[in-house]
Amino acid sequence: MIALENVSYSYKKWVGVTDVNLKIERGEFTYIIGPTGSGKTTLMRLIYMDLFPEKGRVLINGFDTNRLKNRHIPRIRKNIGMIFQSYNLLSDRDLFQNVALPLHVLGMKRSEIKEIVSEMLNEVGLYGKEDHYPEELSGGEQQRACVARALVKQPEIILADEPTGNLDPITAYDLLELLDTINGEGTAVFMASHNYTLIRDRGHRMVQIQEGKLRA
Amino acid sequence: MDKFLFLVGEGFKNMWRFKLTTLTSVFSIFMTLYLIGLLFTIGENSQKLIIYLRSKYKIEVFFKQEVTDQQARQLTEQIQKIPGVRSATAIVRANAAQIFKRQFGEDILTILDANPLPASCVVNISRTQNTAVDISPIIDSIRQIDGVDEINFQGRLINRIEKYYDLLFKAIVGAAVIVLLVTVSIISNTIKLTVYVRADLVKALKLVGASNMFIKFPFIIDGVLQGLMGSVLASAALYGTITAGNHLIANMTNRIRISSDIYTISFWLISVAVLIGMIGASRASAKMLK
C-alpha cells in the first residue's frame, strides 16, 4: 500500500531522513518511534506528499513520486487521514463544520454529510458537541475531533504524528484505544511517537528511527 | 451542485468570519476608488468649463475701408481656414451700421449721410481641444492677411485662462495616473492580506485533499465581493458628493452646475474593482498553494 524505497531528504541545515526503506501493508498498525528531531515528521510529510524525496521514491496506491504530477496530490490525500499533535482544527468553525470539511471536498450532499458526521462524532464520543468551537473543547476532545475529521472520509490509512503529545496519560491511552478500534475496522494506522512507554505493550509493529535512519 | 453552493457559501462566510480584515479591505477599496471618481469628475468638469470659456473667446477683425462687402466675405472665408478657428462670421458694412444703431440708438447714416464703418468679422476659437489654445499664431495669421486693418481680442485674459487650464489638466492627469497605480496596488494587497490571514484554512483544505481550484474559489468570490462592496460604496459617495456640491453651488449661482455621468463612472469603478479583486485573490491564494 505504502512503500518508501531508498528515500533520502535533507533540509538546509540538517538531515531529514537518509536511505529509508519501509513498507506499510493494508490494515496494518505501525508505530514509528524515535526522539524529537529524529525524522518522524519528515517521514510523515513524505508520505502525504508535503515533501518529495531527493533520492529514492515513495509509492502510494500505485502513485510514484518520481512520476507524480501536482494534480495527483489531492487524489492521494483523499485516501489519507491525518492527525497532528497540534490538532490543526479551524478555530472559526464549530465541531460539525470542522469534521464536515473533507466531505465537502468530496462533493457530498448536505443530507449525507449531516448523517455521516453525526455517526462519526458518535463513534469518537463527541456526539452532542456539534456546535462547540475548538476552544470550547478539552485537549482530548480536540484530538478526537481531529481523529473524526481524518476518519470521516473513510481513508485507507491514518497518519498520526505525535497525536498524544499534548494529552495527559489517561486521555492519551483513550486515544490509542480509539486508534486500535479504527484499525480493527480495517484502516491502516501509521503513528509517530517519542513515548516508548505508552506504546510498547500494544502489540503492534514498531519501527525505530534515529538521526534520520531506520533501525531494525 | 452541492459543492458549488458550498464554495459560494464559503466565500460569503469567509467575509463574515474575518470581519475586521474584510472591513479594512472594503474601506481601502472605497477610499481609493472614491478618490479616482472624484478626480475623474473634476477632470471632466474642468474640460467642460474650459470649453464654455473658449466659446466666449472672441476676436474682432476690422477690414480696411476700401474692402468691399464681397471682399470681406472672401477674407472671412480665408480666416475660417486658419487652424484653431472654429467659426468666422462676416459683418458687412450695412450690418455694422445696424449694430451701431442697436448699441448707440442713433442711425449713423442720418448723422453723417454716409456709412464710415468698415466691414469686419467675428472669429470664434476652436473649443474641443484638450491642450491649451495658443491664440498668438491665430492672431499672427490674421494679421498677415491683406486687407486686415485692426484686430481686437482679450489676449491677456485668454492667455491666463489657458495657462492655468494647462497646469490643471497636467496636474489632474498626473494625479489620476498615480492614484490609479496606488489603487491597483492597495486593492490587490489588502485582498492578499485577507487571503494570508486564512493560511490555516488553506493548509487544512490541502491536507484533506482539496484541489487547488476548490481552495481558490471561495477566495475569488470573497475578493469579488470586497471589490463590489468597496466600489458600490465609492459610487454612492461620489453621487452624494456631486449632489451636495450642486446644492451648494445652486445657493450661490445658477449658471454653473457639476455635471457627471455617474452611471458610466460607477460602471468603470465597479468593473475595475471586481477585476482587481478577482485577480488579487486568485494570485494571493495561488501563491499560498505553492
Side-chain angles (χ1 to χ4, degrees):
Chain A
M1 184 188 181
I2 295 175
L4 287 90
E5 295 177 359
N6 307 312
V7 171
S8 294
Y9 184 87
S10 56
Y11 297 96
K12 274 183 187 166
K13 290 184 180 170
W14 71 93
V15 175
V17 290
T18 311
D19 206 22
V20 168
N21 285 287
L22 179 71
K23 267 189 181 177
I24 300 165
E25 301 296 343
R26 251 170 236 284
E28 191 179 14
F29 198 131
T30 308
Y31 288 117
I32 181 153
I33 186 139
T36 305
S38 57
K40 302 185 296 292
T41 300
T42 305
L43 216 53
M44 294 274 175
R45 291 178 69 187
L46 283 161
I47 294 172
Y48 68 77
M49 309 277 165
D50 194 31
L51 296 176
F52 289 89
E54 287 165 351
K55 284 182 192 164
R57 62 177 181 166
V58 179
L59 296 156
I60 301 175
N61 284 335
F63 287 102
D64 181 343
T65 48
N66 287 348
R67 277 176 283 170
L68 195 74
K69 292 198 166 91
N70 273 343
R71 65 186 151 88
H72 293 141
I73 296 173
R75 276 167 67 187
I76 294 169
R77 286 182 180 162
K78 277 176 187 167
N79 273 319
I80 301 175
M82 275 167 277
I83 305 168
F84 301 92
Q85 181 179 355
S86 53
Y87 319 132
N88 285 0
L89 294 169
L90 297 169
S91 58
D92 56 353
R93 285 155 208 255
D94 62 26
L95 179 59
F96 182 90
Q97 290 168 329
N98 265 288
V99 176
L101 197 62
L103 302 180
H104 285 296
V105 171
L106 292 174
M108 283 189 176
K109 286 181 182 168
R110 273 171 193 273
S111 53
E112 283 178 314
I113 291 173
K114 201 172 176 188
E115 198 180 320
I116 295 170
V117 172
S118 296
E119 272 176 32
M120 190 49 60
L121 290 177
N122 198 21
E123 197 174 328
V124 299
L126 289 173
Y127 190 76
K129 300 208 169 186
E130 290 86 346
D131 55 354
H132 284 53
Y133 281 80
E135 61 183 18
E136 296 165 342
L137 300 170
S138 69
E141 285 173 332
Q142 286 191 53
Q143 196 54 289
R144 276 186 280 155
C146 196
V147 172
R149 188 180 63 184
L151 270 181
V152 76
K153 58 183 176 178
Q154 297 182 312
E156 291 178 36
I157 184 164
I158 292 279
L159 300 179
D161 190 5
E162 299 271 11
T164 57
N166 286 337
L167 305 178
D168 62 75
I170 295 168
T171 318
Y173 177 82
D174 286 345
L175 183 75
L176 291 184
E177 286 289 303
L178 179 63
L179 289 175
D180 266 354
T181 309
I182 292 161
N183 178 242
E185 288 164 3
T187 309
V189 179
F190 185 55
M191 176 179 146
S193 177
H194 63 266
N195 191 342
Y196 178 67
T197 326
L198 186 73
I199 59 172
R200 69 180 167 192
D201 297 326
R202 300 206 67 92
H204 297 304
R205 178 187 171 201
M206 207 178 293
V207 180
Q208 197 187 347
I209 188 167
Q210 207 153 18
E211 291 174 351
K213 289 178 184 169
L214 290 192
R215 308 223 176 256
Chain B
M1 192 62 190
D2 279 81
K3 205 174 191 172
F4 178 76
L5 288 176
F6 169 76
L7 292 174
V8 173
E10 277 295 295
F12 279 91
K13 282 178 196 165
N14 277 347
M15 290 181 61
W16 182 247
R17 285 178 185 132
F18 298 89
K19 292 182 272 293
L20 198 65
T21 40
T22 302
L23 204 68
T24 313
S25 176
V26 169
F27 184 72
S28 44
I29 292 170
F30 156 69
M31 281 306 287
T32 45
L33 289 182
Y34 174 66
L35 199 60
I36 286 265
L38 216 53
L39 274 173
F40 190 81
T41 308
I42 292 170
E44 199 186 359
N45 280 279
S46 69
Q47 195 172 6
K48 278 181 184 159
L49 183 68
I50 197 77
I51 288 170
Y52 170 77
L53 290 174
R54 278 175 188 163
S55 72
K56 302 288 171 196
Y57 294 174
K58 227 181 254 178
I59 303 171
E60 280 179 306
V61 181
F62 294 97
F63 300 120
K64 289 177 179 165
Q65 281 294 346
E66 61 268 26
V67 171
T68 62
D69 286 351
Q70 179 61 29
Q71 285 169 328
R73 285 194 187 93
Q74 284 168 357
L75 290 174
T76 303
E77 277 172 25
Q78 210 177 324
I79 290 169
Q80 175 106 46
K81 287 172 189 160
I82 295 171
V85 170
R86 184 168 62 93
S87 65
T89 314
I91 298 167
V92 294
R93 296 166 75 100
N95 285 349
Q98 281 171 5
I99 293 168
F100 184 90
K101 193 177 177 185
R102 257 205 316 272
Q103 285 183 350
F104 300 102
E106 300 282 351
D107 189 352
I108 200 159
L109 290 169
T110 320
I111 302 166
L112 300 174
D113 285 337
N115 183 2
L117 298 171
S120 63
C121 84
V122 176
V123 180
N124 287 103
I125 306 296
S126 181
R127 57 184 188 182
T128 50
Q129 304 168 53
N130 282 336
T131 48
V133 169
D134 187 2
I135 204 155
S136 317
I138 301 171
I139 301 296
D140 291 344
S141 301
I142 297 172
R143 221 185 286 280
Q144 280 166 18
I145 295 170
D146 195 28
V148 169
D149 185 26
E150 199 183 322
I151 303 169
N152 283 347
F153 69 102
Q154 307 130 307
R156 283 179 67 186
L157 180 66
I158 292 173
N159 282 340
R160 194 171 291 175
I161 291 169
E162 291 294 340
K163 189 181 150 195
Y164 286 126
Y165 174 68
D166 200 33
L167 275 175
L168 180 72
F169 190 76
K170 280 177 185 162
I172 288 173
V173 169
V177 169
I178 292 168
V179 172
L180 194 69
L181 290 175
V182 172
T183 305
V184 171
S185 168
I186 286 178
I187 295 176
S188 177
N189 282 314
T190 44
I191 285 172
K192 274 182 195 170
L193 200 70
T194 61
V195 174
Y196 290 147
V197 294
R198 294 162 212 183
D200 58 339
L201 174 64
V202 173
K203 191 180 170 190
L205 285 167
K206 274 168 85 174
L207 291 178
V208 296
S211 66
N212 286 357
M213 199 53 224
F214 187 96
I215 298 171
K216 280 166 79 172
F217 196 79
F219 288 117
I220 293 171
I221 296 277
D222 194 2
V224 167
L225 286 174
Q226 285 177 36
L228 196 66
M229 285 197 290
S231 54
V232 166
L233 283 175
S235 301
L238 197 63
Y239 178 76
T241 308
I242 292 166
T243 311
N246 274 332
H247 185 70
L248 275 175
I249 292 168
N251 286 339
M252 295 183 275
T253 173
N254 55 5
R255 284 191 165 189
I256 307 169
R257 192 178 152 75
I258 305 168
S259 69
S260 178
D261 186 357
I262 188 73
Y263 297 109
T264 309
I265 297 178
S266 299
F267 171 78
W268 282 110
L269 290 182
I270 291 168
S271 304
V272 165
V274 165
L275 198 69
I276 297 172
M278 197 159 70
I279 295 169
S282 174
R283 286 180 66 181
S285 50
K287 213 170 183 177
M288 285 214 298
L289 287 168
K290 277 184 184 170

